[in-house]
Structure formats: structure tokens, C-alpha cells
Amino acid sequence: MKDWLEEINWNADGLVPAIAQDHKTGRVLMMAWMNRESLALTVAENRAIYWSRSRGKLWRKGEESGHVQRLHELRLDCDADVIILMVEQLGGIACHTGRESCFYRVFEDGGWKTVDAVLKDPHAIYAAGHHHE
């Protein structure tokens, strides 16, 4: 059997973009990057584990916020260079701003308008000193 990780077209940095969608509503919650290790762990642990480019380390989604993403389905696109994770977003919040989705701004009248409410104050989600997971 072919190694399924070998079938992915990793970019020059060894990463692949991963889009998390709510498995019930289909809403796009967030986009992050995965490397070979984080994708293998995501499958092994059945939860979203990303690669943080800024911190240069594995990022277990929800490790600080408690907003874990349980994996329901993993999909690969036709060019094998984008992944979709169908997830159950625990707590209903994917974004570090305390919103359901990271995509909460809509282009309207020549500018970006915030259309989603903050469900939980980010300061209440993260310990002092952490602005992002």
C-alpha cells in the first residue's frame, strides 16, 4: 500500500494548507498549515494538530483555549496540495478572537466589515501573555 503521506504535494517548506470546516454546517472555521508530523498526529489522535510557522512547533488546536477540533473526516483536493478537515469544534469557537470562525470580515462598500460577534472574550480564553494559541 502506498504511504498516504507521500501522496501529498507538500510545498517547498514541507507544509500543506489545511482548512477546517464545521462537519455539520460546512462553515469554514479557519485555515492553518500542517507538516508531515502534524498531519500524521492529527489522524493518530483524531483531532486537529497544526504546524505553527511563527512558533516553529506543533500546535495542538485547543491546547490553551480548550477549543479542540475533533476530526470527523479528512479530504484531499485534486492537486493533492490542500487538505480539508471536517471537524467538531468544541466550544463553538475556532478563532483566537473568540469568534466561531476566523473568517468574520466581509468585503462591503470598499472595506472590510466585521459581521460576527465575539462569543467569548479572548482574555477569558487565554492565560495572560498568550495572544494566539
Side-chain angles (χ1 to χ4, degrees):
M1 203 169 93
K2 244 170 125 181
D3 178 359
W4 62 277
L5 288 166
E6 292 298 323
E7 294 185 49
I8 292 167
N9 286 324
W10 305 97
N11 72 11
D13 297 319
L15 301 173
V16 66
I19 298 160
Q21 283 184 273
D22 185 290
H23 77 110
K24 284 199 192 95
T25 67
R27 172 140 198 217
V28 175
L29 300 173
M30 58 178 277
M31 178 269 162
W33 296 90
M34 287 186 164
N35 63 6
R36 189 178 291 261
E37 186 187 8
S38 69
L39 181 55
L41 284 169
T42 291
V43 168
E45 297 185 22
N46 225 37
R47 60 173 287 195
I49 299 169
Y50 301 106
W51 174 255
S52 171
R53 292 177 304 171
S54 58
R55 289 179 303 170
K57 65 178 189 123
L58 290 172
W59 160 33
R60 282 178 161 78
K61 176 71 182 164
E63 65 191 336
E64 285 173 28
S65 63
H67 298 150
V68 172
Q69 290 174 344
R70 280 211 193 105
L71 185 64
H72 280 252
E73 187 178 76
L74 192 60
R75 286 192 180 233
L76 184 63
D77 82 328
C78 56
D79 297 320
D81 61 2
V82 181
I83 279 171
I84 286 182
L85 308 159
M86 299 304 286
V87 301
E88 176 190 355
Q89 177 66 66
L90 302 189
I93 294 171
C95 186
H96 76 279
T97 64
R99 292 177 173 90
E100 176 192 13
S101 168
C102 293
F103 298 94
Y104 57 83
R105 288 178 285 212
V106 173
F107 187 73
E108 233 173 69
D109 302 324
W112 296 105
K113 184 182 171 200
T114 297
V115 293
D116 288 12
V118 170
L119 302 178
K120 189 170 178 184
D121 181 344
H123 299 294
I125 298 173
Y126 300 99
H130 292 81
H131 106 114
H132 204 285
E133 292 201 319

